[in-house]
Amino acid sequence: MSNQIHLNVEVPAEYAGQRFDQIAADLIPDYSRARLQAWIKGGQLTVDGRSAKPKDKLFGGEQLSLRAELEPQGEWLAQDMALDIVYEDDAILVINKPAGLVVHPAAGNPDGTLLNGLLAHCPEQQNIPRAGIVHRLDKDTSGLMVVAKTLQAQADLVDQLKERTVTRLYDAIAQGTLSGGGKVDAPMGRHRTNRLKMAVVPNGGKEAITHYRLQERFRAHSLLRCQLETGRTHQIRVHMAHIRHPLVGDTLYCTRGKLPPGADPELITALQKFPRQALHAAELALFHPETGEPMHWVVPMPEDMLQLLALLRADSR
């Protein structure tokens, strides 16, 4: 992938009176609005060969000229790791992330993350913000993630997420028995006292909507299929705890798990010692950012959840 960007485009007359940055976002849709504004302020994106301010009004007929170079977006290390790649082409990469793998470096996890592995697999990712990661899974959530391999693909995928045309379906083992499906529409924000947690925040929270349906019911637990309409941090975990059906193994949002009456020791141990929230991103669907073709991937549940389900089924019999 070339690091040099050379692009010229003429402003149509119907854009007369609009702001430079708004026109640029419409005429150069392959890059994010934030990236275009940075190029405008840095003088790489010009009007008739001259620098201009993002808020300057244009009249139509001007020539926009972009001369920029993609630069590394962070000081992250490339680290070899085994990646379970489900799909890859020149624009996107779809990965089946294992539980226990952190997606992005942060305090406490400076390396050994998925981002570090992506840089080793495809060094050009260093020129894309967050190495092309457009959405995340919690460390202990397994399953499908899409990663952009170009700035154009990243901008398109971010737009698809905003427009809610990306379908993300999760398998979850929840505590308690549900009779069917439903929708949780409860705004979310940071917990008032525990900054590691998110919470339902009725006033001032961001919109958060989760759909769920019952797949299988056990004596004291339920296997659910959850669909994200929005994508807030810990959204499924918070919403299921909010309706009093927290996920098995989620010690952050549930202090005490339920046990089926008279359960055998093996099941009791499996429930009490389950090492993570029982949540898996099983299906992902989106439109390819270059061709517009609808694409769909499915991955099976990991072994730890399958083993727990086998014990729950045996207990129900």
Side-chain angles (χ1 to χ4, degrees):
M1 182 177 72
S2 173
N3 289 348
Q4 300 292 327
I5 304 172
H6 291 174
L7 181 66
N8 297 295
V9 60
E10 182 174 331
V11 178
E14 58 264 29
Y15 284 92
Q18 295 189 31
R19 289 170 52 120
F20 179 18
D21 57 352
Q22 294 172 339
I23 294 172
D26 274 1
L27 298 183
I28 313 175
D30 287 342
Y31 305 101
S32 69
R33 186 170 298 228
R35 176 59 67 96
L36 291 169
Q37 286 182 332
W39 281 332
I40 291 171
K41 293 174 182 177
Q44 293 102 325
L45 180 53
T46 60
V47 179
D48 290 335
R50 300 186 302 274
S51 295
K53 297 178 180 179
K55 65 179 181 180
D56 286 351
K57 301 291 178 63
L58 303 187
F59 301 97
E62 297 93 341
Q63 288 287 331
L64 304 188
S65 178
L66 176 60
R67 298 291 184 271
E69 181 177 1
L70 299 180
E71 299 175 350
Q73 297 295 300
E75 299 297 326
W76 305 301
L77 297 174
Q79 295 176 308
D80 285 323
M81 66 177 63
L83 298 176
D84 184 358
I85 297 173
V86 178
Y87 175 85
E88 183 175 16
D89 60 24
D90 290 338
I92 61 173
L93 183 70
V94 178
I95 292 172
N96 183 16
K97 186 190 86 67
L101 179 62
V102 175
V103 169
H104 192 285
N109 295 103
D111 55 21
T113 70
L114 174 61
L115 184 147
N116 301 108
L118 288 171
L119 293 179
H121 175 73
C122 187
E124 292 83 2
Q125 299 292 116
Q126 68 175 332
N127 297 319
I128 307 174
R130 299 174 301 282
I133 294 169
V134 295
H135 68 115
R136 302 187 189 185
L137 294 177
D138 298 336
K139 172 185 176 182
D140 290 326
T141 298
S142 56
L144 290 166
M145 287 182 57
V146 63
V147 177
K149 294 181 67 177
T150 67
L151 281 171
Q152 296 92 328
Q154 185 183 51
D156 185 88
L157 290 172
V158 168
D159 284 342
Q160 289 193 53
L161 287 163
K162 288 180 181 178
E163 296 297 323
R164 302 180 183 179
T165 59
V166 177
T167 300
R168 292 167 286 172
L169 299 177
Y170 293 72
D171 289 323
I173 304 174
Q175 301 193 43
T177 55
L178 290 93
S179 58
K183 178 174 84 168
V184 184
D185 185 349
M188 288 176 51
R190 188 68 61 179
H191 194 280
R192 287 185 299 174
T193 58
N194 186 342
R195 307 307 292 176
L196 297 176
K197 296 176 67 173
M198 304 298 289
V200 169
V201 181
N203 298 314
K206 294 182 178 179
E207 182 185 32
I209 301 173
T210 304
H211 302 267
Y212 65 92
R213 62 180 172 84
L214 179 67
Q215 294 192 96
E216 193 171 353
R217 184 167 53 238
F218 311 105
R219 289 205 296 143
H221 297 83
S222 300
L223 173 61
L224 306 176
R225 174 56 61 95
C226 300
Q227 180 173 352
L228 291 177
E229 186 169 327
T230 57
R232 308 301 174 199
T233 301
H234 297 180
Q235 180 173 314
I236 293 174
R237 299 165 63 189
V238 171
H239 274 173
M240 296 317 299
H242 178 65
I243 63 171
R244 302 182 185 278
H245 292 284
L247 303 188
V248 169
D250 194 349
T251 56
L252 187 61
Y253 294 103
C254 180
T255 57
R256 186 177 180 183
K258 289 188 176 182
L259 297 172
D264 67 41
E266 186 179 10
L267 176 57
I268 291 173
T269 299
L271 289 168
Q272 292 178 336
K273 302 294 184 181
F274 199 78
R276 66 180 183 100
Q277 63 267 7
L279 184 63
H280 173 67
E283 293 192 39
L284 175 68
L286 50 82
F287 295 98
H288 192 278
E290 288 188 351
T291 67
E293 177 188 359
M295 307 193 77
H296 178 225
W297 301 273
V298 180
V299 290
M301 268 189 274
E303 191 61 28
D304 59 351
M305 288 180 65
L306 291 173
Q307 289 178 358
L308 180 58
L309 286 173
L311 291 172
L312 290 170
R313 290 181 183 120
D315 175 78
S316 293
R317 291 195 294 268

